[in-house]
Amino acid sequence: MASKKPDRDAVLDATDFLHREALALDERRFRDWLDHLTDDIRYIVPLRVTREGQADWEVSPTSRIFDDDKQTLTLRVERLETDFAWAEQPPSRTRHYVTNVVADPGEREGELLVSSNCLIYRSRGDSVEPNLYSIARKDTVRRVDGGLLLARRYAVLDQSVINGHNLSILL
Amino acid sequence: MATKPIGAGVEAGLESIRDGIAQGRFPARVFNDQEIFDIEQQRVFSKAWCFLAHESEIPDRGDYVTRYIANNNLIVARDESGEIHASLNMCRHRGNMMCKSEMGNASHFRCSYHGWVYKNSGELVGVPYMKEGYEGRIDKRDWGLIKVRTQTYAGLVFGTLDPDAPPLDEYLGGFQFYLDLYLKQGNSGSEVHGPPDHWVTETDWKIAAENFSGDGYHTPVAHQFGFNLGYFASSGATHSQGWAASIPGKGHGIGLGHTPGFPPFAGFPEELADEMRRSLSPEQVEVFSQTRTAVGTVFPNLSFLMQPFSIVPGQTGVRFVTMRLYHPIGPGKTEMYSWCLVPKDASDEYKQEAYRAYTLTFAQAGTFEQDDLENWARVTRSAGSTMARNIEFPYVMGMDSVRDPDFPGPGHVVKPYVNDSNFRNLWSRWSDYMTGQV
Ligand code: FES
Ligand SMILES: [Fe+2]
């Protein structure tokens, strides 16, 4: 549990960081997006499972939709730069709505634990039905050389059965 | 189960589809058609052996998962003596759903409507107001949950709604030889890494089933990025060399990709490869040691893929296995379940590595899965158009290919794995069911 509240500036900085990071994704500046990540990033999207109220977990401890590090996230971005990333050809239009930002001191000096809600609107082609992904994020944001970088993303979708025919976007 | 009478025109249409397959033709519309879907529910999914769960998903007494055969929701549970039962997830009193979770653990299920209580084996054991209300008119033995017949093979639990279906062994008809590659990785076999990815796709189950029954043809194009960036243990030119094996008259098929010079069992940890050399038959060892990619479908809707993948370009990487179930929820609409199978005996480190390779490539956000689904969604959309009603596709690749006499595995085995022979076998089996021959 957090020992003391981080100062207001730190919270504002973290919020600003998340907004800029989301903007890079929505503007499809994927190389810029990679620059928002530390080299030791862990990027995890676990699976949610519908279970009874008394069950010991609802978010699977073992099953993951994304289980990435800097190398594999870079691979995903390199892939998008080829002419053969058919799933994003033509590209999805995404809009990340980041709200309810709560920042607490992280485990290490210079780190913040940032919880946020993220709603992603995704439109593809001429389809009139968008995909909506509602996500609870628990990020670790680290201060490096005066700026902030994302060191860990743990993003849990609110749906247990996902209604998008593929997940070719970043959350 | 009674077959719904349908119009003579439809029956004649199904017969002509059946005839067309023998000549290498199959109509587009079957991949997105309400009438075909309705008949499939009755004639295919009510009669075939359908995959329900892997035993390792319910390892302990009381563990259960809920799954479907056609639109029937089933509880697949391990009872207090360790036996597995599949029961319709519907209370016998007024039909309330018993389990509302995807998985859990319970010795008993208590209905939330009027309180009837069943054991996890399906037996009815508790009825409120038994004496005062029913005055002895209810015999609990008559009102257990409706049972579905199950049988297992190497950890796979199948169920059938047809009490007269032949035994599972006969249904698989020799395909076990190939399934062992996925299911008997080492002495203790394979296990699921966790609950399955579960998502809804704009895809007809048949498109996915066909692709996974050995479509070596699409890989160099649909998954070109993998070759382009050097992440594949083969090249576009060599990827689809190898064999297409199918079990005639059963519908099952597998593509076995082989790259010349690819080291035997490459991508498996050494100890595991040694175990497999000892525990599999000499014929299986011969086939599997030279298999780079194995992609197969058990008729109707269970598929597997094994493939080495490295996140470092140019390296062999690790073998991962994906197992998927295509649950049809409408014409052109499928609920996907996708598991990663890992060798039970392997180190945690290897399991983690294999699982990460799976998520990066074939989980729902996987770089290969994404592109497959993009293509399949477009195929589905095209197949539903009015013009497509009269359009047929060519299934003539390898029409006259003869069985490779040197291949030690069972079934009809031809070279190369760019071949429609598995698909003709798949759709001819499908037609057998659709025309009521099974
Ligand atoms: S519906 Fe289950 S007890 Fe009445
Ligand atoms: Fe594919």
Side-chain angles (χ1 to χ4, degrees), chain B residues 8 64 111 246 249 318 367:
Chain B
Y64 68 86
C111 180
S246 57
V318 295
T367 46

Side-chain angles (χ1 to χ4, degrees), chain A residues 96-114:
Chain A
H96 287 65
Y97 296 87
V98 182
T99 69
N100 302 52
V101 180
V102 174
D104 287 309
E107 278 168 26
R108 287 163 43 176
E109 186 63 33
E111 282 187 357
L112 289 173
L113 207 70
V114 187

Side-chain angles (χ1 to χ4, degrees), chain B residues 337-408:
Chain B
Y337 292 77
S338 171
W339 296 259
C340 176
L341 294 183
V342 291
K344 211 170 175 172
D345 282 347
S347 65
D348 282 347
E349 199 188 356
Y350 179 80
K351 289 181 191 180
Q352 287 295 339
E353 241 187 299
Y355 187 69
R356 282 197 65 211
Y358 158 79
T359 59
L360 186 62
T361 54
F362 279 94
Q364 55 184 311
T367 46
F368 292 74
E369 190 69 22
Q370 293 171 23
D371 291 334
D372 278 333
L373 281 160
E374 190 70 14
N375 286 325
W376 298 347
R378 308 294 172 190
V379 173
T380 304
R381 188 167 159 176
S382 308
S385 79
T386 50
M387 279 173 77
R389 296 197 72 76
N390 302 310
I391 291 173
E392 290 183 313
F393 294 134
Y395 278 75
V396 292
M397 205 185 266
M399 195 81 180
D400 305 313
S401 50
V402 287
R403 190 183 194 285
D404 178 356
D406 301 324
F407 190 85

Side-chain angles (χ1 to χ4, degrees), chain B residues 117-129:
Chain B
V117 176
Y118 304 83
K119 281 192 191 173
N120 51 17
S121 58
E123 236 176 288
L124 177 64
V125 289
V127 176
Y129 289 93

